[in-house]
Each structure stands twice: as C-alpha cells, then as structure tokens.
C-alpha cells in the first residue's frame, strides 16, 4: 500500500512539472474574443437598378416626293382639293408632273401658288378665258379650240416663268402625233407645254413645236407615275381623276371623245398606277369632263379622298424615310 501511494505521488509531481512554463517552448495561445464593434458592417440592400435606355429612334432621311396629276378635263378641279389636304398635313411634293388637266393645275402649283390661291383661281375662272373658238370648216385646223387662250392664261398665272424657273421641278406630258411616243416637257414655255399636254384631239388643235406636233398626254400617260420617277421621285402620290367608261355620259361630242380616252387609258392606268406608292381616286361619280359648274364639288371630293388615305400615306412615307437609300 505504501508503495502504491509513493508511485502516485511521483506521477502527480511529474504532471505538475510538465505544466510549468518553459522559456524555450513555443505556445499557441487563443486570440482574444472579437467584439461586435470590430466587425465591419456589410450592406445587404439590393443593387441599384440602372435605368434602361430606350432604343434610339430610326434615323429618317430625306425622301423626294412626287405628285403625279392625271388628266380628266373639268374633273381636274379635284386636284386642288388633293393639294389642299396634303398641305394641311405638311406634305409638300418635291416634284410635280401632270397630264392634260393635271398639267394645268400642276404648273400653277409648281409656280408657287398654294392650295388657297389655287382654289381662288378655280372659283374666279371664267370659262371663256380659256376658250378660243376656231372655225374648222373654213380652215385646215383639226380642233374647235385653238388652245392659245389656255397658253396665255397659264403663262400669266405663272408670271411668264419658264418651266425650269418654276419653284418646284415640273414636267408636262404630251404625245407626239407622228410617232405616238410620249414627251416630257421640262424646259421652255410653260403655257405652251401645258397647251400641248391638254390638246385633246378633236377639241384642241394640235400644237406644233419645232419639227414635231403634239397632242394630249392622256394618250400615253393618263396618270404620269413613271415620269415622276424619271424626274427623281422616290415616293409617288398618284391622283387618278379618270372615270370608268361605263360611268361617263355621252351626250355631247366632247363627252364621246373623253369616253374614248377613258377606254384607251384604262389598261395604261393599270400599269402606271401599280408603280405608285399611294393612289388617290376622288369619288367624282358621273361628273362630266365638260362640267365646269361643279368645280366646288370636285375640289371637295379630292380633299375627302386624300384624307381617307392619309393614315396609310403617312405610314408608307415614314417607312420609306427609315429605309436606307438604294
């Protein structure tokens, strides 16, 4: 028993001796406790969302707008209503081309007369001012009207300016009587070009210019869409005032002639109008080609027909402006 107690005492002393600090021994002491004030604060708020920038609108380029005015004698007053509606929406053509009655209105418009001025001219127009009767029975002429009065009327209205001096580039379409080929007048006497373009065979005498003789442009281009494009138009607004053949009255020689023109021009119109970007066809019903008394109704019809397609016109024009140039 004594021996066991002695051995236990020795072991206990040895254990205590091992716990004494030895200057040559490396110790790994625990670090001091971390205080909450020593911990950096980390934000847990969601990141700020950067505003999404809307896509830039498409760049719109300048597009040359062409206005192609068709023939139709007294029905041509509708062209004034079309121009009035276009102007009200800020649409001004860069190029104007006309056939027959369209060349009359087109020339006056290209000279700088706005819709209001054109409307006043139409209301004040004395039909006798453009009627100079010939005596075909006692001469070699082939028309009852000379056309000189129309030429003088146009030249006075444009202040004697030649075609190339008009404010808007203008062209008048006529037909070469000998070859049947179309001619586009872009230079020279404005009134004479309009007279040639409006020389309905059997009504107006043919117009001789140089070595050529010209008659109404409706024989080759009732609505001159292709000529507007030839002059540089990228977007063509065509105005068709011709009537369906079955709707045209035939109570006079002039109406019979215009009926013939309508029949001849229908197929040409189908080819021409399909190349236009917008076709405006005023609802003129059975208005006769010699019905000058209904000029107010024709102008109103032109204005209403234009407003009916205005949304489509603006949409197509916007799309063309946003399309890169070819």
């Amino acid at each position: 028993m004594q021996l066991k107690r002695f051995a236990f005492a020795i072991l206990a002393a040895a254990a205590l001796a091992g716990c004494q600090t030895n200057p040559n021994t490396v110790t790994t002491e625990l670090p001091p406790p971390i205080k909450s004030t020593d911990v950096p604060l980390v934000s847990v708020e969601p990141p700020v969302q950067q505003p999404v920038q809307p896509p830039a609108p498409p760049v719109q380029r300048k597009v040359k707008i062409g206005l192609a005015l068709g023939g139709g004698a007294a029905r041509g007053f509708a062209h004034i209503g079309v121009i009035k509606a276009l102007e009200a929406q800020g649409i001004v053509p860069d190029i104007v081309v006309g056939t027959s009655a369209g060349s009359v209105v087109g020339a006056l418009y290209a000279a700088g007369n706005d819709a209001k001025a054109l409307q006043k001219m139409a209301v004040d127009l004395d039909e006798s001012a453009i009627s100079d009767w010939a005596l075909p029975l006692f001469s070699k002429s082939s028309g009852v009207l000379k056309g000189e009065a129309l030429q003088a009327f146009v030249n006075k209205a444009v202040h004697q300016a030649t075609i190339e001096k008009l404010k808007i580039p203008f062209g008048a379409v006529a037909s070469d009587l000998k070859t049947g080929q179309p001619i586009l007048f872009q230079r020279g006497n404005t009134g004479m070009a309009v007279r040639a373009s409006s020389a309905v065979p059997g009504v107006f005498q043919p117009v001789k210019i140089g070595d050529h003789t010209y008659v109404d442009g409706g024989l080759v281009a009732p609505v001159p869409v292709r000529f507007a494009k030839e002059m540089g138009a990228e977007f063509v607004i065509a105005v068709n005032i011709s009537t369906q053949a079955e709707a045209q009255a035939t109570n006079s020689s002039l109406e019979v002639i215009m009926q013939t023109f309508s029949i001849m021009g229908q197929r040409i119109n189908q080819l021409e109008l399909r190349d236009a970007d917008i076709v405006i066809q005023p609802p003129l019903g059975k208005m006769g080609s010699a019905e000058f008394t209904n000029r107010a109704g024709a102008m109103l019809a032109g204005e209403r027909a234009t407003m009916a397609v205005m949304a489509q016109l603006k949409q197509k024009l916007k799309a063309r402006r946003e399309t890169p140039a070819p």
Side-chain angles (χ1 to χ4, degrees), residues 33 35 66 102 120 129 146 174 217 257 277 290 315:
K35 298 179 182 180
K120 186 177 188 307
K146 297 177 183 177
I257 292 172
D277 294 278
Q315 183 180 17

Side-chain angles (χ1 to χ4, degrees), residues 39-51:
V39 179
L41 297 176
V42 179
S43 175
V44 293
E45 295 180 0
V48 177
Q49 296 290 333
Q50 294 297 326

Side-chain angles (χ1 to χ4, degrees), residues 297-310:
M299 288 187 281
L300 182 59
E303 187 175 356
R304 287 176 174 173
T306 306
M307 292 309 299
V309 300
M310 186 58 68

